[in-house]
């Protein structure tokens, strides 16, 4: 059974960078489309970025387009989220999940979520 563990978060100043990792065990991550999501205090969880299994095409929320880059490393069975030019509004707990595509949008496949990794952007 596929299990995902997020890591790489931390405290960074505005304009800084972080790279998040979503490491998989129990199955080959290349067989799945993966999404990064985030949840800020008092807000609903939102989708940030997605990478498809079929052709590794990517998609991004408008709020992070041009600043974040999602990628996968099959050898390490890991999906990354490179976050540059971070803003205070990027502060949230970040999660990864398997996603499916329907009606022009991606949706999380599993109801259970990992612990996530905290990203705090503050001076």
């Amino acid at each position: 059974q596929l299990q995902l563990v997020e890591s790489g978060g931390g405290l960074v100043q505005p304009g800084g960078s972080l790279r998040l990792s979503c490491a998989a065990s129990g199955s080959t991550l290349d067989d799945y489309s993966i999404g990064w999501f985030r949840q800020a205090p008092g807000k609903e969880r939102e989708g940030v970025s997605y990478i498809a299994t079929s052709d590794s095409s990517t998609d991004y929320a408008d709020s992070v387009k041009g600043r974040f880059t999602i990628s996968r490393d099959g050898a390490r069975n890991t999906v990354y989220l490179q976050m540059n030019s971070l803003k205070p509004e990027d502060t949230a707990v970040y999660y990864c999940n398997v996603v499916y595509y329907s009606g022009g949008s991606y949706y999380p496949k599993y109801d259970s979520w990992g612990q996530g990794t905290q990203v705090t952007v503050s001076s």
Side-chain angles (χ1 to χ4, degrees):
Q1 183 177 354
L2 179 70
Q3 292 191 335
L4 303 175
V5 177
E6 305 92 344
S7 64
L11 172 63
V12 64
Q13 293 186 343
S17 298
L18 283 173
R19 189 178 76 161
L20 306 185
S21 298
C22 173
S25 62
S27 189
T28 302
L29 203 56
D30 283 351
D31 293 340
Y32 301 89
S33 297
I34 300 296
W36 279 100
F37 300 81
R38 67 186 181 187
Q39 187 167 21
K43 295 187 176 181
E44 292 189 355
R45 187 177 286 128
E46 63 174 353
V48 175
S49 182
Y50 313 96
I51 186 165
T53 181
S54 55
D55 58 359
S56 288
S57 59
T58 59
D59 197 12
Y60 299 91
D62 288 342
S63 58
V64 307
K65 206 168 288 185
R67 301 188 297 122
F68 290 12
T69 303
I70 191 171
S71 63
R72 62 167 84 236
D73 184 337
R76 290 179 168 79
N77 217 23
T78 299
V79 168
Y80 299 102
L81 185 68
Q82 177 67 43
M83 306 188 297
N84 299 328
S85 303
L86 283 162
K87 304 176 181 180
E89 51 263 43
D90 294 318
T91 295
V93 179
Y94 284 71
Y95 305 87
C96 59
N97 200 333
V98 176
V99 295
Y100 65 94
Y101 188 79
S102 178
S105 298
Y106 283 100
Y107 300 91
K109 182 173 182 179
Y110 299 133
D111 293 332
S112 61
W113 297 82
Q115 291 189 334
T117 186
Q118 175 72 49
V119 172
T120 303
V121 185
S122 175
S123 54

